[in-house]
Amino acid sequence: MKSSVEQLDPTRVKISVDVPYAELKPSIDEAYKTIGGQVTIPGFRQGKVPARIIDQRVGRPAVIQEAVNNGLDGFYREAVEENDLKPLGQPEVEISEVPGLDGTEDGDLTFTVEVDVRPAIELPAYDTISVEVDPIEVTDDDVDAELEQLRTRFGTLSSVDRPAAKDDFVTLDLVATIDGEEIDTASDISYQVGAGTMLDGMDEALDGLSADETTTFETTFAGGEHAGETGTVSITLSAVKVRELPEADDDFAQLASEFDTIDELRTDLREQAAKQKETDQGAQARDKVLESLIETLNVPVPEKVVTDEVERHLESESRVDDDEHRKEITEETERNLRTQFILDAIAEAEEVEVTQPELIEYLISASQQYGMNPNEFAQMLDSSGQVNALVGEVSRRKALAAALAGAVVKDTEGNVVDMEEFTTPPEEEAPEGAEDSDETAEDSDETVVAEGDDEK
C-alpha cells in the first residue's frame, strides 16, 4: 500500500491511498465467506458456496463492495499511522478506482480521504514564559473571614417574626407554570435569600416577604426541558429564620478546635489562610502560564470540528436558534480545542506518562465533584468509553505542570516564586541529601499541578 498527504490548510489534510489487489484479496476472500453464509442456494450448504456460484447469483461487484467496505477502515488507519497524522472528527472518503470488478486480479483500490488533524505546534522554551502573580500576604481581615466561616458552621437557625431580608434563611413552597400550565412544584425548600442559586428573580421576590405570604414573579428557566422558556413562579413563605453565631471566645475555640484559647485558634487560622493563599497563588500562576501559551501560539482550530461540537451542545440544550448563546459556545469550544492541542503537544514533547495511582487519584477527585461513589463513577466511565478521555485529562494536567515548572513566576513585588510545591507530587519529592545521591528523580514529566477547591 502507498499513501501520500496533501496539506489543505493547517488543520486539514487530504490523504491519497493506493492499495494493490493483492492486499485487498484477504478482504475479498472474507467477503465471499460472509456472503456465502448469508445466501441459500439449492445444492450447496450454507457457507460452502463456491466463489464462482456467488459471482453468478450475487454478482462480483457486490462481493468487491463488501470487501472494500470492510477493508477501508484498516487501510485508512494504516495510512494515518504511516504519515504520523493525528486525525480529528469523521473522515470524508472518496473512492476513485476499485479493482477486480471484471474478475481479474490486478489493479489498485484508489481512494482519497479528507480529514481534520491536530495542527503542528512549535513550542517555546518554557523559561521564556514569564508571569506575575499576587504576593502572599495574610491580613487580620483574612483571619476574621476564616473565623467567621468557622463560626457559621457552628451557627444555629432561629425563627423571626419579620419580613425576609438578604442573608435570611427561608422555608418555602414553589409552583412553576408556563402559559397557565403547571410544569414543576416543590415543597419545604430551604433557601438563603441573596444566594442566587435558584431562579432568576427569586431573591428580589423574597425580599420583604413575610411568613404565610405568597407572591409571584416572571423568570426564564435555565435548565431542564423548558430551558430558555419564560414562565411564572409562585412562592409561599412558611418561615423566616436567621443564623445566630456563637461568640468568638475561648469556649468557642474549645468547641470548634483542639485549642484552648481563641488566640491559639486565630494563630492556626492565620496559618491555614497562608496555605490557601499559597494554593491560590499556584493556581493563578498555572492559569497565567496557560493563557500565555494560548496567546503566544495562536493555534488554529478546525472549523468543522468546532461547528459539529457547537451543534451537539446547542441541540442538547434545545437552543439551536439562540445566536448569542451560539457565539458564546463557539468561542468556548475554540478555546478548549486550542488548550487541548497545546497541552497534548507538551505532553508528547515531554513524553508524559500517566501512572495508575495518578489516574485513581484524579478519578476519586472527579467522582466527589459529581457526588458519586468512586467505584460507581469508574464503572460509568468504563461503560461509556470515557476512560481514555480521563487519561488524556490527567496527561494534560501533567503537561501544564511541566510548563509551569520551567516558567519564570514572580509576584507583583518582583520576588521570584518557587513553583516546585505545585509541580512535584509529594511521593516524588526528593529526601534530604538527595542532591548528593545518584538516585535523584529526573523525570520532569511525572509532575502534576496541586489542586484546590475546583481545578486547582
Side-chain angles (χ1 to χ4, degrees), residues 365-397:
S365 175
S367 68
Q368 291 172 346
Q369 293 182 20
Y370 288 97
M372 295 181 64
N373 176 279
N375 291 329
E376 293 176 354
F377 186 67
Q379 291 173 4
M380 181 192 73
L381 291 175
D382 187 41
S383 62
S384 60
Q386 294 297 308
V387 174
N388 286 339
L390 195 69
V391 173
E393 181 62 26
V394 177
S395 174
R396 291 177 195 120
R397 285 175 174 241

Side-chain angles (χ1 to χ4, degrees), residues 299-363:
V299 175
V301 294
E303 182 178 344
K304 188 175 185 303
V305 172
V306 173
T307 300
D308 290 347
E309 178 58 33
V310 170
E311 287 299 327
R312 279 193 294 270
H313 184 100
L314 295 178
E315 286 175 2
S316 70
E317 294 182 333
S318 300
R319 299 178 68 177
V320 175
D321 297 326
D322 189 337
D323 292 337
E324 184 176 347
H325 189 52
R326 177 183 293 273
K327 182 181 178 183
E328 293 174 356
I329 297 303
T330 298
E331 292 174 353
E332 180 183 327
T333 301
E334 289 177 347
R335 178 183 172 83
N336 289 342
L337 278 173
R338 287 192 177 96
T339 300
Q340 178 179 321
F341 293 160
I342 291 169
L343 297 183
D344 284 347
I346 294 175
E348 185 176 306
E350 298 295 323
E351 299 181 348
V352 167
E353 294 182 359
V354 176
T355 65
Q356 187 173 10
E358 289 168 342
L359 190 60
I360 292 173
E361 180 184 358
Y362 181 75
L363 188 148

Side-chain angles (χ1 to χ4, degrees), residues 157 160 162-170 191-195 206-209 239-243:
L157 295 179
V160 292
R162 62 164 174 76
K166 187 176 183 299
D167 295 331
D168 286 344
F169 290 82
V170 296
Y191 179 70
Q192 185 175 18
V193 181
L206 287 170
D207 192 9
L209 197 66
V240 179
K241 300 178 181 180
V242 294
R243 176 180 275 150

